[in-house]
Amino acid sequence: MKETGLPTSRLAIALAACLVLAIILGAASAVWMLRAQEVGKWEKQTETFSVVLTETVSQQMDFAYTALDSISERIQDRWSVSAEYLSAKLSTYDFHQFLREKASLSPAVEVISVLDVNGNVINTSRNFPAPTYNLADRDYFIAQRDNPVQGIYLSASVRSKTTGKWMFFLSHRLTGSDGEFIGVVILGMSPSFYSQFYEKLSADGHASIALLRNDFTYLARWPERGEIMGMKNLTGSTYELVHNQNKKSGVIITNTSRMGDGGKHVTRMAAVQSLQKYPLIINFSVDEDLYLSDWRKITTGIVVVAMSGILALVAAFSVLVNLLEKREHDLLATTELKQQAEIINRNQAHLLKNLTEQQIALKDSSERLQAIFQNAADGIVMIDDTGKIEALNPAAVAIYGHPASEVVGKNGRFFSPPGQPDLLGLAMSRSEFLETGCLRTEVERMRKDGSLFPAELAISEYYHAGRRKLIVIVRDISERRKMERMKSEFISTVSHELRTPLTAIRGALGLVVGGAVGSVPDKIAPLLNMAHKNSESLTRLINDLLDIQKIEAGKMDFMFEHLNLYALLQIAVNNNQAFAHSVGTEIVFDAQIMDAHVMVDAGRFQQVMANLLSNACKYSPEGTVVRVLTEIRQGKSVRIEVIDQGSGIPENFRERLFQKFSQADSSDTRAKGGTGLGLAISQAIIRQMHGDIGYYMESAFEAVGTHFYIDLPLHEEVITDMGTITPKPDHAL
């Protein structure tokens, strides 16, 4: 037994050694392959980042070059007679505003200035008047002064003499009418803008981004290094790839010394991109600690697993001799594991079934939402938090005339008429949207052919994947506006056509009732009085309809006068006292203020007071009083209150109180009569007088009476050396 056991143990030891060697070789191969894959993956990522950065810088430079060209062309077209003429014409506040507007169009532009022939600042977008300093020693001024065919020149980074910040400049030569040098236009770009943008990609300090001129001069860098700004880097990865290898772009791994790290050698992966249109180079680099961090973690795991496998293998062979003794125990353990595996399999099957059902439900929900989106009668436009269109449905395509393929991914400004904001700007400009996240408004929109149409927009915000999105429901209300115009024209026409014969009827009835044609038989008198009263009611209705039409058309005339408020209110009370008596009430004027003056149209003011007083009397119980009060508010305005003792305003009617044709629906209020136009007309009149009209109740409950109020600005007389002058209104109606 012993002799036969020795060869078996040696075979087992040899087999174990082979297995350990296989584990080590497998782990080493996996580590080597994973490193190669990780390096390849990061080469693609760094190249992608550099391309994105290049496109961003190119867009900013496109704007800067275009802005500089447009400013230079404007100056050349208007003021290029001579250097003296240029300095005189450009040192104005209007030109400062022009430069400031140009500079504000891009966050990368720090300042735009114009220098005279000696390098002195004529005007600048930053301050007005321009500060006094000379830039004749700057490289961009020297380049433009000494080289008539220079074109736009990109300078090295220098510290601003005004702010002390690092900046680099684009410059354009200004030439006089005889071809002589008369000045320079400069546009300052802020490295801080690029630094702040680059900082977002800094990867916790393991990445660095640099913007260099094509002679390898630093223009901007993150992390920022003030000591290397404006210096040439002839030792880094950019110089190695572009100069030594003569490539425009690519990815390189180097271990050269770096200016930004004190000249020490650091292994880094750098992606370099040269801009095609501009003398600029982008360098995006990451250190070895970043691009090999995942590989090192995985390598640690592989080593741990390999060592664990080796230890397990050793442990397995060490217990091999005890295999028979533990066979029953192992069989029992195997049975238990099998049972546990069956339980796990059943649980997995159940989870898989639930997941499948959820996927089916999600698909059904998605299909329903897509069907609603595609078949909705109203247009639906979805935009992101930058104003770009993400999707629009067929109804929106039909409304605007833009195919989906033409607008998706682009800004929705072409839906807005010229000079108006895009959908995102429209939403953000309204306080209603900022407070509630929802906005409903009516505005003009523009179709693809340039035609404008009235639209009702409902804008709501929602969040997806942590980003705010907007959904805009668009409805073309051209037909509705047309019907409203037709309705208004019909009402206006009918009102005018009715007023002429009605005036004659009312006048004739008034003469008969007044006894101008003799006594009226007792049986006919009640009928004539009823006809005369109803003709007057119909006249008021027609006048209200005509007034509301004038208000909507902006054609209601006003004659403003500087009048004593006490006298106006006394007239209003006297004029409406007879009506109050006819319904069993009394109007009481509590005159607390005697000398307040207001600028109003007397007739229109009396029209408003008549409406408020008649309403208060109608809705007050018999035997009660309607009070008229006045008070000065903060020394700037006067408040007039009309207080009744009626049943109050129903809660469900309060929001519609000042709308046209609005009346409470209860039988009690309908019995009072009226057109529902009086308060709407009163509100429009008071607003034309720069005032406000409203109401409040002493309690949230009904049956406690109502306080209607009018707030008007106080109008003081102006005392001059020539006497008292009554000021005129500063608006035209």
Side-chain angles (χ1 to χ4, degrees), residues 718-730:
V718 179
I719 308 300
T720 70
D721 295 337
M722 299 176 65
T724 301
I725 301 176
T726 300
K728 299 297 182 182
D730 58 356

Side-chain angles (χ1 to χ4, degrees), residues 157-302:
S157 288
V158 295
R159 286 195 180 274
S160 171
K161 292 187 177 182
T162 302
T163 65
K165 297 180 180 179
W166 286 101
M167 298 174 62
F168 60 93
F169 292 83
L170 300 176
S171 60
H172 193 291
R173 177 187 175 99
L174 297 176
T175 306
S177 56
D178 294 332
E180 76 279 11
F181 172 69
I182 62 173
V184 178
V185 180
I186 60 173
L187 186 147
M189 306 290 286
S190 172
S192 297
F193 167 80
Y194 294 99
S195 298
Q196 293 169 4
F197 177 74
Y198 296 161
E199 184 179 1
K200 300 175 182 177
L201 302 175
S202 63
D204 297 329
H206 293 288
S208 64
I209 307 168
L211 176 65
L212 302 94
R213 201 165 60 181
N214 59 1
D215 62 350
F216 310 102
T217 300
Y218 277 111
L219 300 180
R221 188 184 187 277
W222 178 260
E224 295 182 340
R225 295 286 192 275
E227 67 273 11
I228 67 171
M229 296 296 289
M231 297 179 61
K232 291 184 178 181
N233 183 4
L234 304 180
T235 62
S237 54
T238 305
Y239 187 83
E240 172 67 23
L241 186 72
V242 176
H243 182 269
N244 295 341
Q245 299 184 20
N246 197 26
K247 294 181 179 179
K248 294 295 184 182
S249 61
V251 179
I252 184 173
I253 299 177
T254 64
N255 189 25
T256 58
S257 61
R258 304 180 73 244
M259 292 181 62
D261 293 324
K264 67 180 180 179
H265 290 261
V266 180
T267 300
R268 301 184 68 86
M269 178 186 293
V272 179
Q273 293 285 337
S274 298
L275 274 67
Q276 295 181 358
K277 296 190 294 183
Y278 304 107
L280 295 171
I281 304 172
I282 294 291
N283 180 302
F284 175 80
S285 63
V286 295
D287 59 28
E288 192 177 52
D289 290 338
L290 177 62
Y291 71 82
L292 291 182
S293 61
D294 291 343
W295 171 79
R296 287 170 177 166
K297 293 177 183 178
I298 296 172
T299 298
T300 302
I302 292 175

Side-chain angles (χ1 to χ4, degrees), residues 381-386 390 423-424 427-440 457-473:
V381 181
M382 303 178 71
I383 62 177
D384 63 15
D385 54 359
T386 65
E390 292 186 337
L423 293 172
L424 178 61
M428 298 306 293
S429 66
R430 300 294 181 88
S431 59
E432 176 185 349
F433 179 81
L434 297 176
E435 294 173 359
T436 66
C438 299
L439 173 66
R440 183 177 294 275
L457 302 182
I459 306 177
S460 303
E461 67 176 358
Y462 68 99
Y463 288 84
H464 177 69
R467 294 186 61 186
R468 183 175 65 179
K469 311 281 186 178
L470 297 185
I471 182 168
V472 184
I473 299 177

Side-chain angles (χ1 to χ4, degrees), residues 393-409:
N393 69 342
V397 172
I399 290 174
Y400 287 114
H402 290 278
S405 59
E406 186 178 286
V407 298
V408 170

